[in-house]
Amino acid sequence: VLAPRAGRYAALIFDAEKDESFSAKVIDSQNDFELDDSTKFAFGGFWTLLKDGEIIMFKSQQKEPRSAAGILDGGKTLILLAIDKSGTTSKGATFNETSSILLRLGATEAIMLDGGSSSSLVIKGKQISKTFPHVEVALSFGFLLED
């Protein structure tokens, strides 16, 4: 455990299956989670965006950089989404727009991970997404995908 639970926020949980693969799920509140032997990773996020293939609507219409994760195929496929706000090529996205993108990609569950200057996409050591204005921040976690 690296940080205390923040009950009002959602989390992305990865469990190990008997065949050594992983399955993912989103829980609405970090208080709804009990660590057990199958739990391999748990990442705190912010809000649940999709539940059972339905968008959870938000009132905010503020467009910002967004980082989100979507789950499909019963937890076997994970979509990582980074939306930048460069000022010229991207205006960012609202919570509901982020949810719609993940739903169109086939996600049935989704979580907002972070936004603003904390959202970044790095591929092979090169930062792909940019925020405007660009402010460097120390990220609390990331996903490393290896071949």
Side-chain angles (χ1 to χ4, degrees):
V1 175
L2 300 177
R5 295 176 192 206
R8 68 185 197 131
Y9 295 124
L12 178 62
I13 311 296
F14 293 93
D15 289 328
E17 302 294 326
K18 291 180 181 175
D19 65 359
E20 297 185 19
S21 67
F22 290 98
S23 65
K25 63 185 174 188
V26 173
I27 58 171
D28 296 332
S29 168
Q30 293 175 22
N31 289 338
D32 294 340
F33 172 69
E34 292 300 325
L35 184 69
D36 63 32
D37 291 340
S38 68
T39 306
K40 294 302 172 191
F41 306 100
F43 295 95
F46 285 100
W47 316 117
T48 301
L49 298 175
L50 297 174
K51 192 70 161 181
D52 299 321
E54 298 290 327
I55 293 175
I56 297 173
M57 299 301 289
F58 289 84
K59 291 181 183 178
S60 173
Q61 293 302 308
Q62 187 169 348
K63 291 182 178 268
E64 293 294 340
R66 307 284 181 196
S67 295
I71 301 168
L72 59 144
D73 299 332
K76 295 296 183 186
T77 302
L78 177 69
I79 300 168
L80 296 174
L81 176 67
I83 301 171
D84 69 2
K85 183 176 180 179
S86 64
T88 57
T89 59
S90 176
K91 302 294 183 195
T94 66
F95 289 119
N96 296 336
E97 289 168 340
T98 303
S99 302
S100 293
I101 292 167
L102 289 165
L103 185 64
R104 284 194 309 267
L105 291 172
T108 56
E109 294 182 59
I111 184 174
M112 181 66 66
L113 297 172
D114 206 349
S117 296
S118 297
S119 294
S120 188
L121 177 64
V122 177
I123 298 176
K124 295 185 178 182
K126 181 179 179 190
Q127 183 176 352
I128 304 301
S129 61
K130 300 287 184 199
T131 58
F132 182 82
H134 182 70
V135 177
E136 290 188 16
V137 296
L139 296 174
S140 60
F141 71 87
F143 292 90
L144 174 64
L145 306 175
E146 298 181 312
D147 295 333

